[in-house]
Amino acid sequence: MAVVACGLNVNGQIIPEGPPLLCCPTPVGTKEGVCEVHIACSHILWKTGAGWKITGYRNHDHNLEREMKHGWKISASEKRIAAINNDGAVVLREKGRWRELYFQRDVEDSSVMTAVDSGNLGPSVQQVIDEDSHHLAERNCLGHHSKSRTKFSSVCVEDNSLIALDEDGKTYSSGVPLPYGGNRIRAVQLGKEHCLALTTDGVVLTWGSGMRGQLGNGELCQTDRPEPVESLQGITISSIACGGWHCVALSTSGDAYAWGWNESGQLGFPAKENQEASILGTFIHSCQCPKPAHKTNMLHGDSKAVETSADVQSREDQKAYPHRTESCKTDARINMGRAKDVVNVQTSPRLLDFWNEDMAIIDVKCGDRHTLYQLEDGSVWSSGMNKYGQLGLGDTAERNEPCLTPVTGVTAMYAGGWISVFIGTGSSAR
């Protein structure tokens, strides 16, 4: 297994003592058995066979690594970490301490009101940390514990919001269940100002702020309860991805539908009249990524020495980064008849027709302002903001449309903040 990453590295969250940004997919060192990654701008949480590891500004917090149990389901933002613990309860860590969150079982039940979004647990529950043993100690101020405690299956957290999903498919926000009369919800995602959910029958729901079109309802508005995205009715959605202010839904047939803010091309549609203008940023950036003595093919796991002469290095760069040549424009997978109209804000889901119809998309991940796509042939493409090299294209020029990323054999990919991480059977890095 190999793990490579690119993007913001100012806190050493990708590689310690490395350059402040990594524009090339770079090996992150020994991360044996990584099976899960959670990315915030300044730190990364890695789940390995040996437990949780933290890199970045939190890497000095050894207590945190010991406190998080291997079986916990984690979600991380810049200032907070939320988890589903081994008992199925939601716990939240902020300002150096954990606390368990209690939720109303029904909207009408006001006996236990918990203001999760504001970080205030209310008067009914107090939570303390046993500093010596690093175990959670809980005391219910009402003097008893509920015998029928709700068990949760997943949680998503941002610095100012939290959303939890229980085992019955009910979603909770601000401590109360959200009203929705349809089928059970099986997945939830959280943006900076909006929420995204997917039901068991493939219906997409959104709510929150939609002032950048991220609700997908055709309007710039706000709603306080989950509502189906009408434009996707009749299309069975298999997975969802949520960026800071944009969304992507992947259908069972391998089509991607995107909507929301597109100021950097994160939706995969042109955001500027002259896309080539952004490519000029390539010549301003000077790559400082580590150059390994050997180059490993991520797909086959074979390695070969890379010559050090400038001519050979330039030729290798041409092969590794096809976006620097005309080949990116003429790739046989690209739909040359695709629409090229400029999109700044897309208020309703739009089919991403960048690739030919026979190229199915099998996975999509979103950072704050960039998006990663994996096709059925294993290739990985990226688009959007690239100020910190998060697209992995060897420069810091944004891409208004998807561009082929030099990683192969990828079995899992993650995006968050201004960072991308790829896990596979080998590594592909300069």
Side-chain angles (χ1 to χ4, degrees):
M1 175 185 291
V3 183
V4 297
C6 52
L8 186 67
N9 190 54
V10 70
N11 293 288
Q13 53 266 59
I14 297 177
I15 55 173
E17 301 179 358
L21 64 87
L22 295 164
C23 60
C24 307
T26 303
V28 301
T30 304
K31 289 284 190 303
E32 294 297 331
V34 172
C35 58
E36 196 174 314
V37 181
H38 298 274
I39 305 170
C41 284
S42 65
H43 59 285
I44 304 176
L45 279 64
W46 313 82
K47 184 178 181 180
T48 71
W52 290 94
K53 302 296 181 183
I54 304 172
T55 56
Y57 91 94
R58 286 182 180 267
N59 63 353
H60 63 280
D61 192 348
H62 302 295
N63 289 343
L64 180 56
E65 290 186 350
R66 290 196 295 265
E67 291 166 1
M68 294 191 302
K69 307 305 178 184
H70 189 270
W72 286 14
K73 299 176 181 178
I74 296 290
S75 176
S77 69
E78 190 63 18
K79 297 180 181 179
R80 307 200 294 178
I81 298 176
I84 307 298
N85 67 16
N86 294 336
D87 294 327
V90 179
V91 293
L92 179 69
R93 193 181 200 269
E94 59 183 347
K95 299 180 180 179
R97 41 186 315 207
W98 290 97
R99 53 187 178 178
E100 183 173 342
L101 304 185
Y102 280 59
F103 298 83
Q104 292 178 212
R105 296 182 63 85
D106 299 296
V107 177
E108 294 81 9
D109 180 11
S110 59
S111 61
V112 183
M113 183 62 184
T114 306
V116 175
D117 286 0
S118 65
N120 175 21
L121 284 178
S124 62
V125 177
Q126 290 182 345
Q127 198 74 30
V128 298
I129 291 286
D130 182 345
E131 299 294 348
D132 295 327
S133 63
H134 306 293
H135 289 303
L136 291 175
E138 172 189 330
R139 179 168 64 87
N140 188 318
C141 293
L142 298 178
H144 64 278
H145 298 283
S146 172
K147 295 181 179 180
S148 58
R149 173 184 295 174
T150 300
K151 289 191 175 183
F152 291 86
S153 59
S154 65
V155 63
C156 294
V157 69
E158 277 290 345
D159 287 346
N160 61 352
S161 57
L162 181 148
I163 181 171
L165 179 65
D166 71 16
E167 292 181 341
D168 295 326
K170 183 181 294 185
T171 303
Y172 297 74
S173 180
S174 299
V176 297
L178 292 167
Y180 175 65
N183 283 358
R184 294 175 49 182
I185 294 174
R186 65 180 177 91
V188 291
Q189 294 276 307
L190 194 56
K192 298 298 184 184
E193 300 173 343
H194 72 291
C195 302
L196 183 67
L198 179 65
T199 68
T200 54
D201 57 345
V203 174
V204 176
L205 309 172
T206 59
W207 67 100
S209 173
M211 300 310 295
R212 291 179 172 88
Q214 61 266 50
L215 297 186
N217 59 9
E219 301 178 4
L220 302 179
C221 63
Q222 181 167 328
T223 179
D224 59 359
R225 61 178 59 201
E227 295 182 355
V229 178
E230 293 185 1
S231 296
L232 293 176
Q233 295 295 309
I235 302 172
T236 304
I237 300 300
S238 59
S239 64
I240 52 176
C242 190
W245 298 270
H246 72 289
C247 301
V248 182
L250 189 62
S251 74
T252 54
S253 59
D255 293 324
Y257 298 84
W259 66 95
W261 201 22
N262 191 49
E263 97 293 353
S264 297
Q266 58 263 49
L267 299 185
F269 307 120
K272 295 178 175 62
E273 288 286 354
N274 183 9
Q275 184 179 352
E276 298 301 321
S278 65
I279 304 298
L280 296 177
T282 299
F283 302 104
I284 301 174
H285 170 68
S286 177
C287 176
Q288 300 178 4
C289 299
K291 309 297 190 295
H294 293 79
K295 185 173 182 177
T296 304
N297 186 303
M298 204 168 193
L299 181 61
H300 303 293
D302 57 335
S303 356
K304 61 180 180 179
V306 177
E307 299 178 52
T308 58
S309 71
D311 291 341
V312 173
Q313 184 63 61
S314 176
R315 185 166 63 253
E316 290 296 323
D317 287 350
Q318 291 278 330
K319 295 177 181 178
Y321 299 97
H323 68 284
R324 293 179 176 175
T325 70
E326 291 297 314
S327 62
C328 186
K329 301 178 184 178
T330 58
D331 191 297
R333 291 166 289 196
I334 297 176
N335 173 20
M336 296 304 172
R338 67 191 183 279
K340 297 183 180 180
D341 52 308
V342 174
V343 175
N344 293 315
V345 174
Q346 181 67 34
T347 60
S348 59
R350 175 174 170 176
L351 174 67
L352 180 58
D353 62 349
F354 181 78
W355 297 279
N356 293 323
E357 291 183 0
D358 59 346
M359 296 305 302
I361 304 170
I362 61 173
D363 193 16
V364 177
K365 293 293 189 295
C366 296
D368 278 0
R369 299 185 187 182
H370 74 287
T371 307
L372 306 176
Y373 316 84
Q374 186 173 25
L375 305 188
E376 61 181 350
D377 65 357
S379 62
V380 174
W381 303 64
S382 56
S383 70
M385 180 181 174
N386 195 32
K387 181 178 181 180
Y388 303 99
Q390 58 264 50
L391 300 187
L393 301 175
D395 57 52
T396 56
E398 70 181 33
R399 296 300 190 277
N400 278 218
E401 292 185 303
C403 203
L404 184 63
T405 303
V407 290
T408 54
V410 173
T411 57
M413 60 184 190
Y414 301 87
W418 301 317
I419 298 171
S420 301
V421 176
F422 307 95
I423 300 176
T425 55
S427 67
S428 179
R430 294 181 55 187

